Amino acid sequence: MVGHGRDRKRRAGRIGKVKLKTYRTWKRWDPNPKFTDKRIKKNWDTNISPSANLVQMGLVALPNDLNNSRGSSTKVTVTQSTPIELFDIPESDRPSLRSRYPLDEEEEKYIAKCMKKHGDNYLKMFRDTKTNDMQHTEQVLRKLGSRYLLLSPQQRRVEVPENVKPLLPGGAAAAEEEEE
């Protein structure tokens, strides 16, 4: 069938459907910024620039832009500079679980099983679908293997296979220390 007049029909009736922009929804620029922090609100001076305000509080306005495009450093000078504390950073004595044990116990078992069969040949590990049942790529296996080999004896929760012990940092000496 021939579609005579189809384009004209598609274009018909669209003249009145154009929506005009309403200017009432646009917000006017407010020169007084709204801050939720009481200390910043108290120290903010609306008569000076935002960068001068930040310098007055002991902060840098553009930390990544220390030098401008021509190579000279930009400096904003303010006579009185009293840095204020915005928040306290709590000190923690205990390291996080991830820093104590970079690999999960399951990941250690998995990579130990793969390394027991293939050593440090990550390409063979990648291609072996029986031991690599999670179908990790060669790069992921290499990353897991290197992390596993770099674990200290206190961090290691899974026994190191015999064929992998010479690969440990320090070689055979580290393997002997671990057995003791």
Side-chain angles (χ1 to χ4, degrees):
M1 293 175 55
V2 181
H4 292 291
R6 190 178 74 189
D7 291 338
R8 187 162 44 119
K9 183 68 177 171
R10 195 179 325 143
R11 290 181 302 204
R14 58 181 193 135
I15 293 172
K17 297 198 183 210
V18 176
K19 289 190 176 183
L20 298 174
K21 293 179 184 176
T22 56
Y23 294 102
R24 284 181 236 143
T25 59
W26 292 0
K27 289 185 179 179
R28 188 174 174 272
W29 177 69
D30 188 8
N32 299 324
K34 308 293 185 259
F35 295 112
T36 56
D37 191 17
K38 295 174 190 172
R39 290 170 277 197
I40 292 179
K41 189 184 284 188
K42 185 180 86 175
N43 291 314
W44 194 266
D45 185 8
T46 56
N47 297 328
I48 59 176
S49 70
S51 61
N53 271 313
L54 290 173
V55 168
Q56 191 174 15
M57 286 187 258
L59 302 172
V60 179
L62 299 171
N64 293 330
D65 191 28
L66 295 177
N67 292 328
N68 64 10
S69 62
R70 294 194 176 106
S72 65
S73 62
T74 58
K75 292 185 179 180
V76 178
T77 57
V78 177
T79 57
Q80 181 185 11
S81 176
T82 57
I84 61 168
E85 277 193 36
L86 299 178
F87 53 87
D88 295 326
I89 301 173
E91 295 294 327
S92 176
D93 294 340
R94 296 183 327 170
S96 68
L97 184 65
R98 194 67 173 166
S99 65
R100 279 185 279 162
Y101 299 107
L103 291 177
D104 294 337
E105 192 170 354
E106 294 84 26
E107 290 175 333
E108 286 185 42
K109 288 178 184 176
Y110 185 79
I111 197 65
K113 179 180 72 169
C114 291
M115 288 182 126
K116 184 176 184 178
K117 186 171 182 182
H118 300 290
D120 65 339
N121 192 340
Y122 298 105
L123 186 62
K124 282 187 179 179
M125 277 187 223
F126 165 64
R127 290 182 177 162
D128 186 5
T129 57
K130 290 184 180 176
T131 56
N132 186 13
D133 54 358
M134 293 181 73
Q135 297 291 299
H136 285 311
T137 61
E138 184 182 355
Q139 288 81 14
V140 172
L141 289 168
R142 190 176 301 277
K143 185 176 176 182
L144 284 173
S146 64
R147 281 187 182 170
Y148 179 68
L149 292 174
L150 290 174
L151 290 176
S152 67
Q154 295 83 16
Q155 291 175 324
R156 205 171 287 123
R157 293 173 278 191
V158 177
E159 178 110 12
V160 180
E162 287 297 322
N163 61 336
V164 180
K165 285 187 179 180
L167 299 175
L168 292 173
E176 290 174 7
E177 287 177 15
E178 190 174 298
E179 290 176 3
E180 295 174 1

